[in-house]
Amino acid sequence: MLFFSFFKTLVDKEIRVEFKNGVEITGTLKSIDQYLNLKLDNIKTDVDKYPHLIAVRSLFIRGSMIRYIHLNPVDVDTSLLQDAARREAIATGGDKFAGR
Amino acid sequence: MSFFGFDPTGPPSSKRNDAEELDFDDEDDAFNEETFGADVTDIRKDFDFGYGAKPQAEESILKPATQSSIKPGLSYAKAAQEELLQPMAALWGDSTSNEEERKEVTEEKDDSKKVLSLEEIEAKLKQQTPSSAGVQGTANVPGQPPVVQQPQQQFPNPYMLPPQVQQQMLAAAVASGQFPNMESASQAMAQSMMAAAAFQQTGMMPPLPFMNVPPHLQQQQQQPGQPQQPQQQPPSGLPQGQVPNQPQSQPESQQGKTQTAGRPVSQPLSVDRFPPIGVGIEETAKPQINQQQQQQQQQQYHQQQHQQYHQQQHMYRNNNRGYNHQQQRAQRRDYYQQQLQQQLEQMSPEEREKFTIRQNKVSKITRCSGFMGPKDKDFVTRFQLSQIVTEDPYNEDFYYQVYQIVKSSLGGATNDVNSIAQKYLDQSGHRLGGRSKRVDIALQRMQQQVSKAVTVAKERGQRSSGLSKEGALGRVSFGTGKQPRQQIIIKKEEASSEEKDDALPKEYKFPRSSRSFQLSIIEDIYTQVLKLESMERENQTYQTTELWKSLHLNDKIKTSTDEINPFISILSFDKTMKVFQRLFHFLSKEEQEQIIELIFTHLQKIDIVLKSSYKNYADTNYSIPKNVNDKIELFQSTIMRALVIYIGDTNFQQILSILNEIISNNNVLFLCTTKIGCSLLTVIISRLELIKQEYSKNLSAQDLSNWSLVYDKLFQGLEGRLASIFPPFFSNDESRKVVNEETNKNDGYIWQFLATLSLGGLLNHQRIIVDEIRNEIFGVMSLSKTTKEEGDAVKAAGLLENLNLFLNVMGLNATEDDISELASEA
């Protein structure tokens, strides 16, 4: 759940999504679920390359279509992310934490 | 039928949505459920009832054929036929909505069909046959029975369709080609009978102006060839006077209006279905006669059916509850439509055009709305939530939870369930509060959902996530919300025999000097720290023994050249430096002492201290690599910071012993070639001097003599090589000077060190110092002078300032040209 948890904090932030088919779309992340399906708003893309997206304002993206998501570094708390990753690793190892 | 006081305008659900508002809300759905859910059952009941009502059955056969637009009652056969008629409807101007209606109608029919089981039909048929003879006359009256029916009481039940009649009808229908597309006409008839019943019950008839234009007239207009026509004259039950009731009047008036308006706009059901053409004429011409006829016929009929009537009425009443309910709603709908109609009339043609377009759009949008009732939605929501919600957010949603807290450190932790509910509400398409826009209600509901979801999630958590079959090669694993992708299930190594045998912890399996060993230690430390932090946040009491063990402070690792402590060996990892302060604060005072002592003792073995000496980089013009510089900075801001804070809180004797440790275990001269070493010594000496000067009363003579002993030892280590503490890139001695990218950095720490060194020393110490670094001093002065002449006064002043840090200690002051005694001392 780490990625889901992580991406939840990026809601309302701008991200750039790179699809497995090469399309790149920048937009505001509106929603995400546990499959990392995304909902983007106010999308921007290279309309010369992808004219079919010219009229699209918001998108739902199936998580499995995504190759990369580019983030703004200021939106990421790396040390917290490290802790979270460690915690998850520890927790999945069966060693649950008592509380926070 | 309008006759029953229903607005025929089609199926309840979406129609109403169209008309009332475009709200996809729960509230609407509730409404929908009311109609859909409840109606289904109603339909069933009504259907039974309706089925018995033969007149309707006939009607359904006859009438739908004529009134192409009457959907609800249509059999499939009719529907098919209607398709043929459709273009006409389009001509009348509202084909879209018409189509829509039709779809809905089909649905409706499906409903009613489903509802009646074969057995039921059979049973009904059996019941009904006895009375068939009496009905014969009425059987062929199209549209009449409904006219007669006053839903509640006056219904004179003509419920039977005698076999002969059926056959008649059948024959007629086939002859007329009425069922060209259907499997068989008889089937169609059966259907139509059922449909008619449903139709009657659900009030799906278009608002025909029955008073004025008897349905059969319309039939005549539309389908002159229809075989049933001749049969239309027979008795039709009750006199009109009995019929009128409130709901009925509305459709009528509507009808009238639309007709006068000449356009069937936006009253799609009632109006379109009705070809306005010619109706008006007929309307005025025929109604009177017709009514009379009907009355007569109906009276006869009534008598014939009298007995049956009583029987049936019983049944009827039983089925009546839903009916009344529907009636009310139908009235509401009527009212609405009436208003609409009025609006329409007031509009100019353009406006009306616009309005129609808008209505069409609206109906397109709402076409597929309302399929899910609130319960369905709740289910889906709950399902989604149960995937997301966890009873253990700090384990599974740690990043998000803490991030939120950190971000809104003011807000503090909100109730978790609330925040999830709120979040979900925000994100999902649920508009807050529905029609009434009651945010609190929506939130409340969502909270309930969340708590339910938590329960579900808990229950599910107990289920195992894999299925293994005997003899199967693999295991089937189920994706879950938390692990959506199928994972390889790796059998955990049997933690049994092997590991018990060698009681060594796993990190000892690594070669002990290896990087993996170091990393495993660090991760161990992190684990312990995270656990302790978690306990601390929960205000639990905690034990640091595990953490202490994980530090391996008392272990030794033998390397090829040396023996090294594992803790020291990991100190140069970035992540150790980062965790240092976090672990440091968990330790007890004694443990802190131990760890500090260990660090100072092994100071020059710490990798980063080793690397920070400029002597390592003689080959490369003394330029220190960037990654080393970064590490030095990190070390200073983490470990050294902790050390300095510790020293600030420690008493004279302890600091002295620390300094002694450093001097005895390290090469002081080497330490002084590093920024870290220099700075640490500066801190320690100045702290000692500070205590000595400010609190000398608390110090014994023994302490003071110890201090001077240690100082002498320190000074001996440096004496004669003092100039070497200047890295070449900071040196202003012409013989050593090297210029690289470090040169312009601040060399203040060196002058600070020299200042504290002379501060702790006696006059002869100071003299030696000045003597040894004379070249540096004058170098700085001349550099300052040239810099000033070049116009950079600020930099020149900075250079002098650093120099004077040192000189002032000895009561001297330097300018660009001269060194003099400090004014105050002079």
Side-chain angles (χ1 to χ4, degrees), chain B residues 204-268:
Chain B
M204 292 302 178
M205 291 298 248
L208 299 178
F210 278 107
M211 298 298 254
N212 302 331
V213 188
H216 59 266
L217 284 183
Q218 292 164 18
Q219 283 178 349
Q220 282 169 349
Q221 295 162 11
Q222 282 195 329
Q223 299 198 338
Q226 183 121 20
Q228 278 95 351
Q229 263 185 18
Q231 291 167 342
Q232 281 171 1
Q233 274 86 15
S236 67
L238 289 182
Q240 292 296 331
Q242 277 181 318
V243 179
N245 52 37
Q246 205 191 349
Q248 181 197 352
S249 61
Q250 283 167 351
E252 250 180 57
S253 57
Q254 284 172 14
Q255 183 65 30
K257 279 171 194 164
T258 12
Q259 280 169 2
T260 46
R263 271 194 96 203
V265 214
S266 97
Q267 251 284 1

Side-chain angles (χ1 to χ4, degrees), chain B residues 440-481:
Chain B
D440 49 336
I441 289 178
L443 187 58
Q444 224 173 358
R445 277 180 60 182
M446 195 50 78
Q447 279 166 0
Q448 285 169 3
Q449 289 289 308
V450 170
S451 57
K452 269 187 205 165
V454 173
T455 343
V456 173
K458 268 186 204 165
E459 283 163 8
R460 201 192 30 237
Q462 264 119 53
R463 255 189 278 142
S464 71
S465 62
L467 170 76
S468 59
K469 276 196 163 183
E470 189 114 10
L473 292 175
R475 293 180 81 193
V476 180
S477 72
F478 307 110
T480 64

Side-chain angles (χ1 to χ4, degrees), chain A residues 1 4-6 8-9 31 34-35 39 75 77 80-81 83-84 86-87 90 95-97 99-100, chain B residues 387 394-400 402-403 427 481-482 484 523 526 530-531 534 537-538 575 582:
Chain A
M1 294 285 271
F4 176 44
S5 185
F6 169 65
K8 274 202 285 182
T9 65
S31 176
Q34 71 268 34
Y35 305 99
K39 222 163 88 185
D75 296 333
D77 182 340
L80 181 58
L81 193 56
D83 277 3
R86 287 202 173 91
R87 278 185 74 117
I90 294 163
D95 201 1
K96 296 254 175 191
F97 286 91
R100 283 176 265 179
Chain B
Q387 301 284 315
Y394 286 107
N395 270 325
E396 287 167 1
D397 202 14
F398 181 76
Y399 182 84
Y400 176 77
V402 177
Y403 190 89
Q427 289 187 15
K482 281 157 195 157
E523 287 308 318
Y526 263 104
L530 285 171
K531 279 182 180 166
S534 151
R537 277 190 292 257
E538 299 285 298
K575 51 181 173 179
R582 289 163 73 183

Side-chain angles (χ1 to χ4, degrees), chain B residues 189-474:
Chain B
M189 187 172 69
Q191 278 171 359
S192 69
M193 279 156 63
M194 305 196 312
F199 159 133
Q200 187 181 37
Q201 289 307 319
T202 44
M204 292 302 178
M205 291 298 248
L208 299 178
F210 278 107
M211 298 298 254
N212 302 331
V213 188
H216 59 266
L217 284 183
Q218 292 164 18
Q219 283 178 349
Q220 282 169 349
Q221 295 162 11
Q222 282 195 329
Q223 299 198 338
Q226 183 121 20
Q228 278 95 351
Q229 263 185 18
Q231 291 167 342
Q232 281 171 1
Q233 274 86 15
S236 67
L238 289 182
Q240 292 296 331
Q242 277 181 318
V243 179
N245 52 37
Q246 205 191 349
Q248 181 197 352
S249 61
Q250 283 167 351
E252 250 180 57
S253 57
Q254 284 172 14
Q255 183 65 30
K257 279 171 194 164
T258 12
Q259 280 169 2
T260 46
R263 271 194 96 203
V265 214
S266 97
Q267 251 284 1
L269 287 174
S270 48
V271 185
D272 301 348
R273 302 191 165 148
F274 238 104
I277 327 130
V279 172
I281 309 161
E282 298 268 344
E283 231 174 317
T284 44
K286 299 206 177 179
Q288 296 295 329
I289 317 159
N290 235 314
Q291 272 180 13
Q292 279 178 359
Q293 275 182 348
Q294 279 179 5
Q295 278 177 15
Q296 282 176 356
Q297 287 164 353
Q298 275 187 334
Q299 269 168 353
Q300 287 172 6
Y301 170 76
H302 189 66
Q303 282 170 354
Q304 283 174 344
Q305 296 293 318
H306 195 62
Q307 276 183 319
Q308 269 185 359
Y309 172 69
H310 285 294
Q311 284 173 0
Q312 300 284 345
Q313 196 154 44
H314 173 66
M315 197 165 92
Y316 184 84
R317 278 185 183 138
N318 283 342
N319 291 319
N320 235 347
R321 270 170 297 150
Y323 201 61
N324 275 332
H325 184 57
Q326 278 185 341
Q327 210 173 8
Q328 283 174 1
R329 278 191 284 119
Q331 283 175 17
R332 246 183 291 155
R333 212 159 48 207
D334 285 346
Y335 172 71
Y336 208 86
Q337 284 174 347
Q338 219 175 353
Q339 276 192 330
L340 240 157
Q341 210 63 46
Q342 281 168 358
Q343 276 182 353
L344 262 181
E345 278 173 53
Q346 288 161 7
M347 289 178 189
S348 69
E350 299 88 41
E351 280 175 330
R352 215 175 291 145
E353 188 69 26
K354 270 186 197 162
F355 184 80
T356 324
I357 290 168
R358 195 177 153 269
Q359 284 297 96
N360 284 344
K361 261 188 198 164
V362 164
S363 56
K364 256 184 205 162
I365 292 168
T366 50
R367 175 185 297 177
C368 294
S369 75
F371 283 135
M372 287 169 79
K375 273 184 186 159
D376 302 324
K377 282 186 176 175
D378 280 358
F379 175 77
V380 172
T381 314
R382 193 156 58 241
F383 195 84
Q384 290 177 329
L385 278 175
S386 73
Q387 301 284 315
I388 292 168
V389 177
T390 164
E391 48 175 325
D392 193 8
Y394 286 107
N395 270 325
E396 287 167 1
D397 202 14
F398 181 76
Y399 182 84
Y400 176 77
Q401 299 294 341
V402 177
Y403 190 89
Q404 293 304 101
I405 294 170
V406 170
K407 213 172 66 177
S408 62
S409 47
L410 309 168
T414 50
N415 180 359
D416 191 47
V417 172
N418 280 357
S419 61
I420 290 180
Q422 183 62 60
K423 195 85 206 155
Y424 203 84
L425 268 184
D426 293 347
Q427 289 187 15
S428 68
H430 290 73
R431 218 179 297 163
L432 293 181
R435 184 179 312 164
S436 51
K437 305 284 179 264
R438 292 286 304 274
V439 177
D440 49 336
I441 289 178
L443 187 58
Q444 224 173 358
R445 277 180 60 182
M446 195 50 78
Q447 279 166 0
Q448 285 169 3
Q449 289 289 308
V450 170
S451 57
K452 269 187 205 165
V454 173
T455 343
V456 173
K458 268 186 204 165
E459 283 163 8
R460 201 192 30 237
Q462 264 119 53
R463 255 189 278 142
S464 71
S465 62
L467 170 76
S468 59
K469 276 196 163 183
E470 189 114 10
L473 292 175

